[in-house]
Amino acid sequence: MVPLRRTQLAFTLLFGIGVAFTDFGQVIDAISLIYVLIVCAVVAGAAFGACLVGKLVGFYPIESAITAGLCMANMGGTGDVTVLSAARRVSLMPLAQVSSRLGGALILLVSSVLVPLSLPERRTGTWHDKAPAFRSGLFRFCPVSCGSS
């Protein structure tokens, strides 16, 4: 009998956790050609941009692409372990964790600025007059006209 190695156990555990926590119905409903192209473009752009910036500041380009690019674009700690295990660079785990945390904070900051800009103008009374939350007491102390007259 062949002894079970740690790397084989790690891949088995990662696969098992991924299968256990994935709702495949939602995954199949969400997959479309546009979605796959957007995901590929974001991941490739993040890796290429991190590689380029890493080379400019004197880092190893592949390692900066892995830690700053791919570990920022994955799904947190489990994604960091998966990316670094596949690249055989598990020693870069502290840098990957920093990249994940800063990348997540940066995405939240950028989206909190851009999402309100993409919504319709609040003062025109177009979308919030029909929303029950704005007519109820939830937003009755809103400084702009929230439709509750």
Side-chain angles (χ1 to χ4, degrees), residues 49-61 64-65 68:
C51 179
L52 210 66
V53 171
K55 188 173 176 104
L56 288 175
V57 297
F59 294 152
Y60 291 115
S64 63

Side-chain angles (χ1 to χ4, degrees), residues 119-138:
L119 292 176
E121 181 64 34
R122 286 186 174 189
R123 298 174 196 256
T124 59
T126 56
W127 64 276
H128 52 73
D129 287 337
K130 298 170 185 67
F134 282 99
R135 284 188 306 223
S136 68
L138 185 60

Side-chain angles (χ1 to χ4, degrees), residues 1-95:
M1 183 173 195
V2 178
L4 188 64
R5 295 183 188 157
R6 281 184 286 168
T7 57
Q8 293 169 338
L9 181 63
F11 288 130
T12 306
L13 282 174
L14 287 172
F15 178 76
I17 290 170
V19 168
F21 289 120
T22 301
D23 183 11
F24 289 107
Q26 287 183 344
V27 171
I28 290 172
D29 290 341
I31 291 179
S32 67
L33 179 63
I34 301 297
Y35 181 75
V36 171
L37 290 176
I38 289 173
V39 168
C40 290
V42 166
V43 171
F48 182 71
C51 179
L52 210 66
V53 171
K55 188 173 176 104
L56 288 175
V57 297
F59 294 152
Y60 291 115
I62 299 300
E63 290 184 351
S64 63
I66 291 169
T67 55
L70 297 179
C71 289
M72 185 203 62
N74 65 23
M75 55 182 221
T78 306
D80 291 342
V81 172
T82 305
V83 167
L84 295 175
S85 300
R88 299 179 191 266
R89 300 277 202 283
V90 180
S91 62
L92 298 173
M93 183 61 75
L95 300 172

Side-chain angles (χ1 to χ4, degrees), residues 95-120:
L95 300 172
Q97 289 292 312
V98 169
S99 173
S100 290
R101 301 228 187 324
L102 290 178
L106 183 66
I107 294 298
L108 287 174
L109 178 70
V110 169
S111 63
S112 68
V113 170
L114 293 180
V115 167
L117 294 176
S118 67
L119 292 176

